[in-house]
Amino acid sequence: MRLLYSLIALLLIAPAALAQTMVTANIAANTDWTASGSPYIVTKTIRVLDGVTLTVASGVEVRFALNASLIVGGVLNAGAATFTSDAAAPTAGDWRGISVQGQTTLDGATIRYASNSLFAQETSTVTLLATTVELYKFNGISVFDGATARLKGVTVQEPGDAGNAAYSGLSLISPGGNEQVWEGPAVRIADLTVRGAFYAIRLGNPAPLVLEGTHTLEGNMHNAIAMLYDGHRGSFTFAPGIPYHFLDSGRRYQVASTDSTTILPGAVLKFWPGFQAELGHVTAVGAPDAPIVFTALTDDTAGGDSNGDGATTAPSVGYWNLVSGEGVFRHLRVRYAASGLQAFGTSTVTDSEFRANRYGLSLHSRDFLSSSDAEARVRTAPGFATATRNTFGEHQDAPIRSDINVRGDVTGNTFQPAAKFAGVGFSYDGTGRTFAGRFFTRADTLHDLGLPYVLLNSNQTPDGSLHVGRGASLRIEPGVVLKSDGPGVRVTGSGRLDVVGAEDAPVVFTSLKDDVYAGDTNLDGNTTVPAVTNWRGVTYQGSGTAGSVAHAVFRYG
């Protein structure tokens, strides 16, 4: 009797256990895959034909044979279904994944063991809701330029080999490669989780992102948006929510001065060692409670441990190089740079904080050109730069420095004791080269910016002096105060120096320790006092030199 009951039980269970549906051909008509037919075994690459809808119910398991894939030309709608390998012992890369050319909506689905789990091709519309992608071999989700993609509550985790740089949780790329432009719509991402990848998010092109909700990026080599292209054309917007990593694409990101970059409040941009980002025309307006941060890749205080190494690495002064552009910069935090922020032309820099840099803020009088050919760098009419209400913390060489011909207002800033000095660093070798390596072909002018200039040791001259040499001409305007702790001013060859002060606004040359003019520039209170020969003075050398001096004050030289 016991044997009879066992046989009856087996007969009742067997149909359910053995139920499966073999899929050997394209889906050519509207089709529903239901729990009663599960699992569905896809024996080869199949296609949902154009104009056809495949609906996969929750609880259904779809298994793919080795190297098989699902191409969606029509529509794929799936609930909490599982797309996975049919292997007895599945591994990442067993099947090729889902390639969407038409329309796909996954709500609560799981994709496992694919090479590239889901491709949103340039003609597609893809909506992924509460979907999990895991145990993939190359990329979890790839979105091509031209696709319309929305991801909400998506989790991408457990790649097959996270140590390979090709692997990304989410990859946004152009079919044509690095073209510096994205022609499709913005990719909308809310509440994204990525774990264990090399790049959490990889941008191979400047794909615009709309980031919403709370994102969890952990255990990745880069818990960030990895910028793996060398610039953009047109316009691009950096959004808050996930930090951006500028990585070694020639260590330079270049945007022409005719193109634009917008950086939204709260955005965090982190840079590879030595990296410089030339952003063209810039609108970077943060907020008091959501500043924009430019910092080192190893700085865990902004955007978290985005390089994924815990406390193994730490930021240091000069870790990365610079951000440059012309425009509006407000509520920034600039840290650990060699040259910090380089603001061109009529830029406005306000309400920002600079600290732990070699140089914090650099002002330039000319438009930025991407060409590295010095002959191609052209001068434009000087604009009026404004840098006010900024705070300068510790700096290795200078908190602010200025190129030649800059006109502007740099008053109303706060210089903390470690800022090096409360002034504008300046060096000019007189053969047409300033600190920025810029070349000039006509007379240059030093304007009063509202702060004293501090002469920096020039590595272009033997004694570090400001040098006005053959063919160069420098005019120093009324009200300018130049302070020095050693370097002087030398005029040689056929150089010309005109010191053009006014009775009520003389030009002053004095020691960095002199607090009588322009206050306590060296930020030491009364600790140091000036003395004779503190600096090398102003010298015209040779019969070919020329110039004039009017309404000038010379002290301690």
Side-chain angles (χ1 to χ4, degrees):
M1 182 65 70
R2 183 175 297 172
L3 177 61
L4 177 60
Y5 286 149
S6 298
L7 290 172
I8 293 171
L10 286 171
L11 289 172
L12 291 173
I13 295 170
L18 297 175
Q20 64 180 26
T21 303
M22 305 301 291
V23 181
T24 61
N26 293 333
I27 309 300
N30 292 345
T31 301
D32 292 336
W33 288 354
T34 63
S36 61
S38 180
Y40 290 80
I41 311 300
V42 180
T43 61
K44 63 179 184 179
T45 295
I46 65 167
R47 180 182 180 90
V48 180
L49 298 184
D50 294 1
V52 173
T53 297
L54 171 62
T55 302
V56 184
S58 294
V60 168
E61 187 174 66
V62 183
R63 301 177 183 171
F64 291 83
L66 185 66
N67 293 325
S69 63
L70 176 61
I71 301 172
V72 181
V75 177
L76 169 64
N77 293 323
T82 299
F83 299 83
T84 187
S85 167
D86 189 42
T91 59
D94 278 352
W95 62 292
R96 293 181 179 175
I98 302 171
S99 178
V100 183
Q101 299 170 352
Q103 179 178 325
T104 289
T105 299
L106 304 182
D107 190 350
T110 300
I111 306 174
R112 295 187 178 125
Y113 298 115
S115 294
N116 295 285
S117 300
L118 188 141
F119 271 105
Q121 304 287 356
E122 56 265 39
T123 57
S124 68
T125 298
V126 171
T127 301
L128 305 180
L129 306 173
T131 291
T132 298
V133 172
E134 57 191 14
L135 300 165
Y136 57 94
K137 186 173 184 180
F138 295 119
N139 295 297
I141 300 168
S142 298
V143 178
F144 283 87
D145 185 7
T148 299
R150 182 169 74 94
L151 286 66
K152 180 175 175 60
V154 170
T155 296
V156 185
Q157 61 189 10
E158 299 182 61
D161 182 4
N164 190 317
Y167 302 154
S168 309
L170 172 61
S171 183
L172 295 93
I173 51 179
S174 169
N178 185 352
E179 296 183 0
Q180 296 191 333
V181 65
W182 186 272
E183 297 178 347
V187 178
R188 305 188 69 89
I189 303 172
D191 304 319
L192 175 69
T193 297
V194 183
R195 299 187 180 97
F198 193 91
Y199 302 116
I201 301 175
R202 176 171 69 104
L203 294 193
N205 285 83
L209 303 176
V210 178
L211 302 174
E212 300 169 322
T214 301
H215 309 282
T216 302
L217 309 181
E218 56 190 18
N220 307 288
M221 186 69 72
H222 294 277
N223 296 312
I225 300 167
M227 306 289 288
L228 298 178
Y229 55 98
D230 55 11
H232 66 261
R233 291 183 284 118
S235 62
F236 183 74
T237 298
F238 290 96
I242 299 175
Y244 292 82
H245 278 189
F246 287 77
L247 302 174
D248 190 8
S249 179
R251 298 193 180 181
R252 175 174 290 185
Y253 185 94
Q254 291 181 296
V255 179
S257 61
T258 52
D259 294 327
S260 64
T261 301
T262 299
I263 308 176
L264 299 179
V268 176
L269 280 61
K270 295 186 170 184
F271 300 94
W272 188 267
F275 203 99
Q276 65 184 58
E278 303 161 359
L279 300 182
H281 190 274
V282 182
T283 302
V285 180
D289 59 346
I292 293 165
V293 180
F294 299 147
T295 190
L297 199 70
T298 52
D299 183 2
D300 296 347
T301 66
D305 180 25
S306 57
N307 66 335
D309 70 348
T312 302
T313 57
S316 57
V317 173
Y319 182 93
W320 59 286
N321 193 1
L322 62 90
V323 168
S324 69
E326 179 173 6
V328 179
F329 303 88
R330 189 177 183 189
H331 293 298
L332 307 184
R333 302 290 182 267
V334 182
R335 307 171 185 160
Y336 304 112
S339 297
L341 174 64
Q342 294 198 359
F344 287 81
T346 58
S347 291
T348 299
V349 183
T350 58
D351 304 299
S352 296
E353 179 184 275
F354 299 80
R355 63 176 63 253
N357 306 297
R358 281 193 62 206
Y359 299 97
L361 171 63
S362 300
L363 301 176
H364 295 258
S365 63
R366 295 167 299 117
D367 285 343
F368 176 77
L369 296 178
S370 294
S371 171
S372 60
D373 181 2
E375 298 287 326
R377 296 183 184 275
V378 296
R379 179 203 301 262
T380 61
F384 192 90
T386 301
T388 188
R389 301 192 307 275
N390 302 297
T391 298
F392 294 89
E394 60 275 21
H395 283 81
Q396 182 172 304
D397 290 330
I400 305 176
R401 61 179 178 174
S402 174
D403 206 341
I404 201 74
N405 300 314
V406 170
R407 299 180 63 213
D409 177 11
V410 293
T411 60
N413 297 293
T414 298
F415 296 87
Q416 296 176 346
K420 191 74 173 182
F421 52 74
V424 178
F426 182 75
S427 65
Y428 174 57
D429 78 353
T431 63
R433 186 188 296 270
T434 63
F435 72 84
R438 309 307 190 197
F439 288 81
F440 304 96
T441 58
R442 65 179 187 184
D444 297 309
T445 303
L446 203 58
H447 298 277
D448 179 17
L449 301 179
L451 279 178
Y453 288 93
V454 176
L455 297 185
L456 303 177
N457 275 283
S458 171
N459 59 11
Q460 303 290 332
T461 59
D463 62 359
S465 293
L466 186 155
H467 180 206
V468 183
R470 178 179 297 176
S473 173
L474 178 62
R475 174 186 172 93
I476 303 179
E477 293 279 270
V480 169
V481 176
L482 288 93
K483 293 189 174 184
S484 175
D485 198 28
V489 179
R490 291 194 305 123
V491 186
T492 64
S494 58
R496 181 180 182 92
L497 173 65
D498 291 297
V499 180
V500 188
E503 188 171 352
D504 59 346
V507 173
V508 178
F509 298 85
T510 189
S511 167
L512 183 62
K513 301 181 179 76
D514 185 358
D515 298 348
V516 173
Y517 286 91
D520 181 23
T521 305
N522 64 346
L523 300 172
D524 72 345
N526 296 319
T527 303
T528 58
V529 294
V532 174
T533 69
N534 272 171
W535 63 291
R536 297 188 182 93
V538 177
T539 307
Y540 289 82
Q541 298 178 342
S543 59
T545 59
S548 60
V549 178
H551 296 292
V553 176
F554 298 88
R555 294 162 61 92
Y556 303 110

